Amino acid sequence: MLVVISLSSGLGYRFYNQPQLDVGKVAPQTLTAPNSTHIEDVKTTAEKRREARSGALAVWVVDSQVNEQIKQHLQQLLAEGEQIREQVGKFPLIQTSVLSTATQTYLRQAPEAEWQTVLQTLEKNTKVAGLNSTQQQALRNLRIYRESNSSQALSQLLKAIAQARQRYATTLKTLNNNAITQATTIYDGSFLNLSDADWRETKIQIHHTLERMLAQGIYPGLSAINLDSAIEMQVSVSIPKTAQPVAKRLLSAVVTPNLIKDIEQTKLIAEQAAQAVEPTIVSIQKGEVIVKAGEKITQADFVLLDHFRLSQRRIDWLHLTRFTAIVGLAVAVFRLVEKRVYAKLRSSDYALIILLTLSAPLLIFLTKSFTGLPAIGLLIGSFYGTAIGGTVMGLLGILLSIGTELNWHDLIPSATSGILGGLMAGQWRFPGREALRTREELATLGILIGLTQGVVYLLVNTAIAPLWYAVLGTAVLNGLAGLLWSILALGISPYLETVFDLVTPIRLAELSNPNRPLLKRLAHETPGTFQHTLFVATLAEAAARALHCHVELVRAGVLYHDIGKMHDPLGFIENQMAGPNKHDEINDPWKSAEIIKKHVSEGLVMARQYKLPSAIQAFIPEHQGTILIAYFYQEAQQQQKHNPEIGLHESDFRYDGPIPQSKETGIAMLADACEAALRSLKDATPEVALAMVNKILKARWQDNQLVDSGLTREEMSQIAYIFVQVWQQFHHKRIPYSKS
């Protein structure tokens, strides 16, 4: 309840000062102006300027490069047309005063049977029934030619017509038989029947027509129907009628949009249009009625009511109560996710999440636009993983949209980048994925977050401002803001980690660096223990990865688990380097056990001194649990047999605990127990090694050392198998080298 009330109070601050007499509500009584005033309606002015900015017409300019491409395309098609006309030959064949154009056209393309009929009729000089008017006209013209010219001239004419017919038929067949190309769809039989003069005139006029159309400009998105209509209108007034079909096809093939938007000029005009909008001023004289009883309050009425403090602003308990219920539901969703992913959050973790969550509405209240959601998402995601980070940011975005007055076109980009940060910064919670281990990787993520915020802002605001480039500058600023928030998160992350005792993959990677002061001391003062630690870390890390545990935590925790041995290095056999055994000189199992146990208490002292996180400190006592220091306990039993008066208590020879409280510390205990035994094996088979490891693990299980760790019997078998695999990798056979 305390959390719900705290979050409701912080996230729902808009309900603290809600006007009871708001726009759209009915006035309970007639309200008059206590004084004369002239006041600007800021909201209406802003809306009008936004409309003016988004409604400004785009400035279009001709793209000279596109124009050049269109002209080259036309020139290419005209050149192909010239080649076709060269194949068919010149036309008309003779002067049209001798044979009309219609007659020459008919004679050149008439079917062979009709052509033979015309020749036979001309030769016999008889009338043939059934000839159509075109044939009769052709015969009439030929006879007139024969009468006015010699037989030789007629023979040459008929020969020229026959050759023209052959060339025409060949060319037409070539056009019809070729694969479909742009040229074959443009040029057909009607094109072949154009006179040479008409073709020359057509080429000239097509160029002029194209120049006019390009100068007027072709807009992108112009429909094909409208473009065809424009071409038809231009062609009808300048191209010879017989050539208009081919001219239309030529222009339709080459004309494409040649206008592009001048972004800078458009932005300038849009801004000028916005600035040209005069501020909306609401005026009233003293004693005049602002709104009558029973009337709906307009925006202008509300401006006056709020100015004169007549809008009755106070806490909106009804909406605040509803918002509190929504917050309660959000907290329940958070708890459900927390339990589902076994987050195991502490009180300090809840406090930090609440603190970061409440920083968002505070920033909105102070700045009216900045939310800090990218930084919050990065921090929560990197601290608590993807599930917690994504859930918190998603719920926070919803609650901010309800409880604050932030514009949605500002909230959506910020919330999107915050969710992205929460999901990607915490990807180490996914099994099989490596964590973001360096601050450089998080910095790269910060760049991605900035880009995301800028792009989403552009997309969201383009929906309300069709001239997307009018908001491009603001989108860039939003992207930079997202990047700056990410940099801020990186800057404060180490301080939050220290204050709230957090372990992140990045901090764990830094703690695992062998150049850390405490690890350097461990390697220098207790080299044997350091080597032991490295092998234990290798075993534990492999097992943790297979069981989908927190690999980075296991690695770092194991590296520090035996730092307490630095209080008395020679008290531990791995550091004695073939020298005398200190415990043989002491010859007192109680004192020896005390020395051995003391490496835990001294380790905790060192860990606190070096400010290690509590999650790392937990490995120091829990890796030993409450196990029995068996060797010295057996020594004490032997002494008691010789001197029964000696009091023997098993607790004196057991570690103080606690036993492992997590899978990670449980794995560390098992790896520590098996390290020495595995290292002692030389030529043993994997089966022998596995049997020995299983025996050690079984002893820890039967001693109830793992009851609180969460490890199962199936996982114990898996751990044993992994330990042996790692041992095999370290003890593979080598090639013997010759002594010579």
Side-chain angles (χ1 to χ4, degrees), residues 482-497:
L483 177 59
L484 291 175
W485 281 120
S486 302
I487 294 173
L488 176 64
L490 289 176
I492 66 174
S493 177
Y495 302 103
L496 293 177
E497 291 170 3

Side-chain angles (χ1 to χ4, degrees), residues 93-100 103-104 107 122 125 136-161:
L93 304 173
I94 61 175
Q95 295 180 357
T96 55
S97 59
V98 177
L99 288 179
S100 67
T103 297
Q104 294 189 52
L107 292 175
L122 178 65
N125 199 20
Q136 292 176 1
Q137 181 64 34
L139 275 171
R140 190 179 301 115
N141 288 341
L142 288 172
R143 284 170 177 169
I144 293 173
Y145 183 82
R146 182 176 59 184
E147 292 172 358
S148 58
N149 293 279
S150 63
S151 298
Q152 185 178 1
L154 176 62
S155 177
Q156 291 177 347
L157 174 62
L158 293 176
K159 183 178 179 181
I161 293 174

Side-chain angles (χ1 to χ4, degrees), residues 367-597:
T367 65
K368 306 300 182 185
S369 60
F370 292 114
T371 63
L373 292 180
I376 297 172
L378 266 175
L379 291 171
I380 295 180
S382 62
F383 292 162
Y384 304 113
T386 290
I388 297 297
T391 300
V392 170
M393 298 315 299
L395 294 173
L396 182 56
I398 295 172
L399 295 177
L400 288 176
S401 67
I402 301 172
T404 66
E405 297 176 343
L406 185 66
N407 292 326
W408 61 271
H409 53 269
D410 287 326
L411 175 60
I412 291 177
S414 184
T416 303
S417 58
I419 293 172
L420 176 67
L423 292 174
M424 295 196 67
Q427 65 176 327
W428 57 272
R429 287 295 185 186
F430 285 114
R433 291 194 183 179
E434 290 295 333
L436 297 177
R437 293 181 176 176
T438 66
R439 306 207 186 266
E440 287 82 1
E441 290 174 328
L442 268 184
T444 303
L445 177 57
I447 295 174
L448 178 60
I449 287 173
L451 288 174
T452 300
Q453 181 159 327
V455 170
V456 173
Y457 183 90
L458 186 63
L459 294 176
V460 168
N461 285 272
T462 300
I464 61 173
L467 302 180
W468 59 269
Y469 32 82
V471 296
L472 183 59
T474 311
V476 171
L477 291 177
N478 264 264
L480 291 175
L483 177 59
L484 291 175
W485 281 120
S486 302
I487 294 173
L488 176 64
L490 289 176
I492 66 174
S493 177
Y495 302 103
L496 293 177
E497 291 170 3
T498 301
V499 173
F500 289 90
D501 191 26
L502 298 168
V503 287
T504 63
I506 292 175
R507 190 180 185 195
L508 291 172
E510 292 172 346
L511 289 171
S512 300
N513 188 332
N515 289 318
R516 298 287 294 191
L518 198 53
L519 294 181
K520 289 180 72 173
R521 277 190 59 193
L522 183 66
H524 177 69
E525 297 177 19
T526 56
T529 298
F530 186 69
Q531 292 302 317
H532 154 80
T533 296
L534 293 180
F535 189 40
V536 173
T538 304
L539 294 172
E541 185 178 347
R545 181 173 286 106
L547 298 184
H548 304 314
C549 296
H550 197 334
V551 178
E552 289 81 6
L553 178 60
V554 170
R555 181 191 302 113
V558 170
L559 287 176
Y560 290 92
H561 80 288
D562 269 348
I563 57 174
K565 291 183 179 180
M566 287 189 286
H567 86 282
D568 190 357
L570 296 179
F572 302 89
I573 192 169
E574 67 265 21
N575 298 312
Q576 292 173 1
M577 303 299 180
N581 191 323
K582 180 177 181 176
H583 297 286
D584 291 339
E585 297 174 356
I586 295 175
N587 195 26
D588 186 340
W590 283 268
K591 288 185 178 181
S592 293
E594 186 64 28
I595 292 173
I596 299 298
K597 290 172 60 176

